[in-house]
Amino acid sequence: MAHVLGQNQYGKAENRIVRVYRDSTRHEIKDLNVSVSLQGEFEDVHLTGSNANCLPTDTTKNTVYAFAKEYGIESAEAFGIVLARHFVDNTERGVVHSARIRIEEYSWDRIKTPDSSARFIGADEVGHSFVRTGQETRTCEVVYDGETVQVISGLKDLIVMNSTNSEFWGYIKDKYTTLQEAYDRILATQVTARWKYGFDGRDNEPQPNWNRSYNHVKRHMLEAFAETYSYSLQQTLHAMGTRVLNNRAEVDEVRLELPNKHHFLVDLEPFGLKNENEVYYAADRMYGLIEGTVHREGVVPVIPVA
C-alpha cells in the first residue's frame, strides 16, 4: 500500500524577544513570544532528505530579532504581518507558500515611586523601572498566503468574577444529578478569547489601529460580563461576544472559552455558624468548560475549535 505525505509545516517556535526603546530617559518595552511556521514546497525535505528548499529554522529566528530592530514593534499584529509577508514574498525560489506567525505579548508598566525618591542613580525620573502587569496575556495569529492576510487577535488568562447576579436552575435532572439549583451564586471564569478582523490586506487596505482595537474589545467583554444578569455561563458568553460585534465594526467573529471556576459554599453548621452566601471553597479543577463562537450574519467562521 502506497503512503502519501500529508499536510506539513515547520518553523522556529517560541522566540522570546524583548525590544527596548531608548529614545529618551523614559524607555518603552515590547515583550513578545514569537512562533513562526511555514508551509510550501517541502516534500523533498521529508522524502529524500534534500534541504535545497529548506529555509533553516535558525534563519527564521534571526529574522525575528533583526526585524525587531529594523522595523520596530508598534503592535504584535503589525509585526506579525511584516514577518509573514517577508517569509512568503522574499524567500528564495518562492518555495514558501504560506506563513503563520503566532505571538504572545506580555505587558509591563513603570514602577511608580514617591516624589521624594524619584531621584536616584543620577536620574531626574525613574523611566527605566517596570513591573510585569496585566493578568492576561495578549495573543495574535497572522497567516499570509501570498495574497491575503488573516489576523486573529486575542487574550488568555483573564480572570473575572461576579459575586452575585448569577443563577443556575431548571436544568435536566436524572438519577445521577446531585447538583442543587442556585438562585444566587458566584460566577467566575478564566477568559480565553480570540477575534477575527475583517481586514485582509488587499488593495493597500489600511490596517486597523491594533492596540486601540485590542483595548476596546477587552473593555466591551468586561462590561458585558459585569452587566449581564446571568442564568448560565453560556448566556454570559453570548453577551460578551455580541457586545464586541455591536461596538467594533472591524471585528467579524469572536470565539470564547470560559471554564467555570466553581465556588462552593462551605458547610459551617458543625461550628454552629450559618453560611449566608459568605464563605466559599474555590475549586481549581474539575470545571465546566463553556465554548462558543459569535459571528456576524453571512460571515463564515474560521477561528478553529481548541
Side-chain angles (χ1 to χ4, degrees):
M1 180 180 294
H3 302 287
V4 177
L5 175 66
Q7 191 278 340
N8 62 89
Q9 60 194 39
Y10 77 97
K12 186 73 83 174
E14 301 204 33
N15 301 280
R16 287 291 282 109
I17 177 171
V18 175
R19 173 65 155 93
V20 181
Y21 291 88
R22 303 175 180 272
D23 301 333
S24 71
T25 56
R26 288 177 59 82
H27 295 174
E28 303 290 341
I29 287 179
K30 283 290 187 178
D31 186 353
L32 306 181
N33 186 20
V34 182
S35 293
V36 177
S37 184
L38 310 178
Q39 296 186 46
E41 299 175 18
F42 308 136
E43 292 82 0
D44 285 349
V45 182
H46 294 270
L47 302 179
T48 71
S50 170
N51 294 319
N53 283 355
C54 182
L55 181 72
T57 63
D58 188 68
T59 302
T60 66
K61 175 260 295 181
N62 292 340
T63 304
V64 170
Y65 292 120
F67 274 36
K69 168 62 178 178
E70 186 174 356
Y71 296 101
I73 304 173
E74 189 275 330
S75 69
E77 290 84 355
F79 188 58
I81 290 171
V82 169
L83 285 170
R85 283 178 166 158
H86 166 78
F87 289 124
V88 174
D89 295 340
N90 298 321
T91 299
E92 184 180 350
R93 295 194 298 278
V95 297
V96 178
H97 297 168
S98 175
R100 184 191 70 203
I101 313 297
R102 287 178 170 166
I103 300 177
E104 296 178 344
E105 180 175 352
Y106 315 109
S107 61
W108 295 81
D109 277 350
R110 302 179 197 284
I111 297 176
K112 296 180 180 180
T113 58
D115 292 340
S116 60
S117 62
R119 285 179 171 271
F120 70 98
I121 322 180
D124 292 333
E125 181 184 11
V126 184
H128 58 265
S129 298
F130 299 85
V131 58
R132 177 83 169 264
T133 60
Q135 56 179 308
E136 86 277 4
T137 298
R138 179 173 171 177
T139 64
C140 82
E141 176 180 299
V142 175
V143 176
Y144 175 59
D145 62 4
E147 294 184 2
T148 62
V149 174
Q150 176 180 281
V151 179
I152 298 173
S153 295
L155 56 82
K156 62 180 182 179
D157 299 331
L158 179 65
I159 301 174
V160 292
M161 174 191 290
N162 284 332
S163 57
T164 189
N165 286 358
S166 175
E167 305 179 19
F168 188 63
W169 52 269
Y171 42 80
I172 295 173
K173 301 179 181 67
D174 63 18
K175 65 179 181 179
Y176 302 110
T177 302
T178 60
L179 183 69
Q180 298 297 307
E181 293 186 335
Y183 296 90
D184 186 4
R185 67 172 184 168
I186 285 179
L187 183 67
T189 187
Q190 183 170 324
V191 180
T192 296
R194 290 170 289 169
W195 53 92
K196 179 188 175 297
Y197 289 92
F199 169 84
D200 65 7
R202 292 180 186 267
D203 303 322
N204 296 318
E205 176 187 2
Q207 297 184 24
N209 184 320
W210 304 111
N211 293 329
R212 184 172 62 191
S213 181
Y214 174 86
N215 289 330
H216 282 293
V217 169
K218 175 185 171 184
R219 175 173 64 85
H220 287 302
M221 288 193 297
L222 289 176
E223 289 176 355
F225 180 84
E227 295 174 5
T228 300
Y229 192 105
S230 179
Y231 293 96
S232 67
L233 189 50
Q234 288 91 331
Q235 176 200 3
T236 299
L237 180 152
H238 185 260
M240 293 169 70
T242 299
R243 179 75 69 95
V244 172
L245 295 180
N246 284 343
N247 289 277
R248 302 308 304 176
E250 72 273 22
V251 176
D252 282 347
E253 172 190 357
V254 181
R255 182 162 183 84
L256 290 155
E257 300 166 24
L258 304 180
N260 196 340
K261 309 291 282 186
H262 298 300
H263 288 68
F264 300 108
L265 282 169
V266 177
D267 181 9
L268 299 179
E269 289 188 2
F271 319 118
L273 300 172
K274 185 176 181 180
N275 192 352
E276 298 180 307
N277 290 345
E278 296 167 304
V279 181
Y280 296 84
Y281 164 67
D284 62 346
R285 59 177 64 88
M286 57 193 63
Y287 53 85
L289 179 58
I290 313 303
E291 303 173 84
T293 298
V294 185
H295 61 87
R296 300 190 187 281
E297 186 175 4
V299 168
V300 178
V302 299
I303 300 176
V305 176

